[in-house]
Amino acid sequence: MRAEAIIDLSAIKHNVAQLKAKSGTQLLAVVKADAYGHGLIPVAQAAISAGADMVGVALLEEAIALREAGITAPILAWLVQPGSDFKSAIDLDIDLAAASLKALREITEASSQKKARVHLELDTGMSRGGFLSEWSQLTASDLSGVDVVGVFSHFARADEPEEAQNQDQLDRFNEMVKVLEGFGHTNIIRHISNSAATLKNSDAALDMVRTGIAIYGLTPDVGMGSAKEFGLRPAMQLRSSLYLVKDVPAGTPVGYGASESTTRDTKLGVVTMGYADGIPRIARGAGVWINGERAPIIGRVSMDQFVVDLGPDSKAQSGDWVVIFGNGSHGEYTAEDWGAACGSINYEIVTRIGPRVPRIYSAHVY
Ligand SMILES: *Cc1c(COP(=O)(O)O)cnc(C)c1O
């Protein structure tokens, strides 16, 4: 095997159950972007079996894929483009977010036979999706052609729990929801918490939380606390194998641009994954774990391969497995380490793993 991502669905189930208990409310498991690289369908099934009340995705095609796979749980899709096939979404019982009067009109038009289930999205301070100035123009009749089942917003800085913007956004949300209550929509699901808010801001749990990164056992931000401190179990181990091991003298340049050279006589290992598989080309300071030791990347990552410095005494051989990242419990690099190694975050590391890498569902095997 060249490379594989081993996904531990029991970890996902554990995390869902843990987060649901912590929030004390309903839980929507966020499975957009192929379940953050972990595999849409198996993750959705695992999350639902562990008590997720809903699953959420960005795109309509992701929601349709869930229905086509036989998932009957409620699904919310929140980034559905104007001009989409809203009629099919309604027929498939996919809840739709509406973030503008235009969207609401389009969804209403598609609701002639069966009313769409709609969650109104509010911009409470992130300046991304959601109603902002248009909210004051909304009338009860704008909502009469759809079934308003929810209202939601999104935090910009939930991973910095002490920031005042969090309370500002929650206050604004509660204020804006009053408009709906004024129209008689009192029994709807209010939701604003992502993973970080679910872990750190119980006041914001409301009627449902939307947890993404945490169900994969990853922390929303290392500054907030580690996955372990939150009782979360990382669900993915990414591994590859050594294509070659070779002895080189000190001063040997490695890779494109000869951006680095060996500083001692050493052994180099060639790992058969590259940026085409989602290994960030600019990563520096991460590497692989083999035979109980870390071997750092040396030189630039290529499209299909990268080179690690195994050290002069390494016993590694071509064909050996290397762990690129895992839960860190044995000393291996983590998705957080890889994020830090390229100026990014664990979210990007797991979601960018490419389609060439098979996802294997089993418990972790070290
Ligand atoms: C991605 C997303 C989430 C999940 O965020 P996490 O930080 O991964 O928990 C929740 N809500 C919306 C609207 C999102 O787009």
Side-chain angles (χ1 to χ4, degrees), residues 14-29 50-54 155 189-212 214-215 230 232:
H14 163 86
N15 298 330
V16 166
Q18 175 94 354
L19 290 158
K20 185 163 165 159
K22 175 152 185 63
S23 72
T25 189
Q26 291 192 69
L27 182 142
L28 175 150
D53 301 278
M54 262 185 111
F155 284 121
I189 308 167
R190 299 162 301 150
H191 46 110
I192 188 169
S193 287
N194 56 7
S195 294
T198 303
L199 293 167
K200 282 288 183 181
N201 186 354
S202 54
D203 290 348
L206 305 180
D207 306 314
M208 185 166 77
V209 295
R210 300 187 308 269
T211 46
I215 72 170
F230 293 124
L232 301 170

Side-chain angles (χ1 to χ4, degrees), residues 138-199:
L138 184 81
T139 62
S141 71
D142 291 325
L143 301 173
S144 59
V146 300
D147 190 5
V148 180
V149 294
V151 59
F152 74 106
S153 189
H154 195 58
F155 284 121
R157 308 188 72 173
D159 54 348
E160 302 163 284
E162 68 295 339
E163 283 295 332
Q165 186 173 342
N166 293 303
Q167 191 59 44
D168 289 350
Q169 285 196 247
L170 185 57
D171 292 345
R172 208 168 306 167
F173 183 72
N174 289 328
E175 225 19 68
M176 289 172 88
V177 169
K178 284 188 189 148
V179 172
L180 294 178
E181 289 164 358
F183 296 153
H185 298 291
T186 47
N187 193 20
I188 57 177
I189 308 167
R190 299 162 301 150
H191 46 110
I192 188 169
S193 287
N194 56 7
S195 294
T198 303
L199 293 167

Side-chain angles (χ1 to χ4, degrees), residues 30 32 36 78 128 152 154 194-196 210-214 347:
V30 181
K32 64 189 178 186
Y36 291 40
W78 53 70
R128 205 177 61 175
F152 74 106
H154 195 58
N194 56 7
S195 294
R210 300 187 308 269
T211 46
I213 198 77
Y347 291 73

Side-chain angles (χ1 to χ4, degrees), residues 95-359:
D95 290 15
L96 296 165
S100 68
L101 290 172
K102 176 179 165 165
L104 206 45
R105 269 194 298 276
E106 260 192 89
I107 297 170
T108 303
E109 269 166 36
S111 296
S112 54
Q113 270 125 54
K114 176 175 166 186
K115 277 190 179 181
R117 288 168 49 89
V118 168
H119 297 240
L120 296 160
E121 184 183 5
L122 307 180
D123 178 1
T124 55
M126 186 162 179
S127 309
R128 205 177 61 175
F131 279 88
L132 186 62
S133 53
E134 272 189 345
W135 194 242
S136 58
Q137 299 162 32
L138 184 81
T139 62
S141 71
D142 291 325
L143 301 173
S144 59
V146 300
D147 190 5
V148 180
V149 294
V151 59
F152 74 106
S153 189
H154 195 58
F155 284 121
R157 308 188 72 173
D159 54 348
E160 302 163 284
E162 68 295 339
E163 283 295 332
Q165 186 173 342
N166 293 303
Q167 191 59 44
D168 289 350
Q169 285 196 247
L170 185 57
D171 292 345
R172 208 168 306 167
F173 183 72
N174 289 328
E175 225 19 68
M176 289 172 88
V177 169
K178 284 188 189 148
V179 172
L180 294 178
E181 289 164 358
F183 296 153
H185 298 291
T186 47
N187 193 20
I188 57 177
I189 308 167
R190 299 162 301 150
H191 46 110
I192 188 169
S193 287
N194 56 7
S195 294
T198 303
L199 293 167
K200 282 288 183 181
N201 186 354
S202 54
D203 290 348
L206 305 180
D207 306 314
M208 185 166 77
V209 295
R210 300 187 308 269
T211 46
I213 198 77
I215 72 170
Y216 305 100
L218 301 174
T219 177
D221 188 302
V222 282
M224 273 176 59
S226 66
K228 198 171 178 189
E229 282 158 7
F230 293 124
L232 301 170
R233 283 168 45 194
M236 185 190 291
Q237 187 200 83
L238 183 64
R239 55 187 207 162
S240 183
S241 65
L242 290 176
Y243 174 66
L244 275 182
V245 174
K246 55 177 68 171
D247 291 291
V248 294
T252 304
V254 182
Y256 286 118
S259 62
E260 273 188 277
S261 298
T262 54
T263 54
R264 54 182 174 171
D265 295 356
T266 190
K267 287 182 176 165
L268 297 180
V270 180
V271 180
T272 47
M273 285 187 88
Y275 60 78
D277 302 298
I279 304 296
R281 179 173 178 273
I282 61 162
R284 291 285 177 285
V288 303
W289 184 78
I290 176 163
N291 295 336
E293 287 177 18
R294 288 182 167 199
I297 298 179
I298 178 166
R300 281 189 196 137
V301 172
S302 307
M303 188 181 294
D304 315 295
Q305 47 192 314
F306 65 91
V307 178
V308 294
D309 186 349
L310 294 165
D313 305 322
S314 174
K315 303 272 183 297
Q317 300 191 357
S318 71
D320 283 356
W321 279 109
V322 298
V323 175
I324 294 177
F325 63 76
N327 66 19
S329 64
H330 299 74
E332 66 274 42
Y333 294 94
T334 60
E336 286 79 28
D337 292 328
W338 275 91
C342 59
S344 185
I345 51 176
N346 53 14
Y347 291 73
E348 186 177 351
I349 297 301
V350 289
T351 52
R352 63 186 285 154
I353 295 168
R356 296 204 305 196
V357 181
R359 273 61 169 178

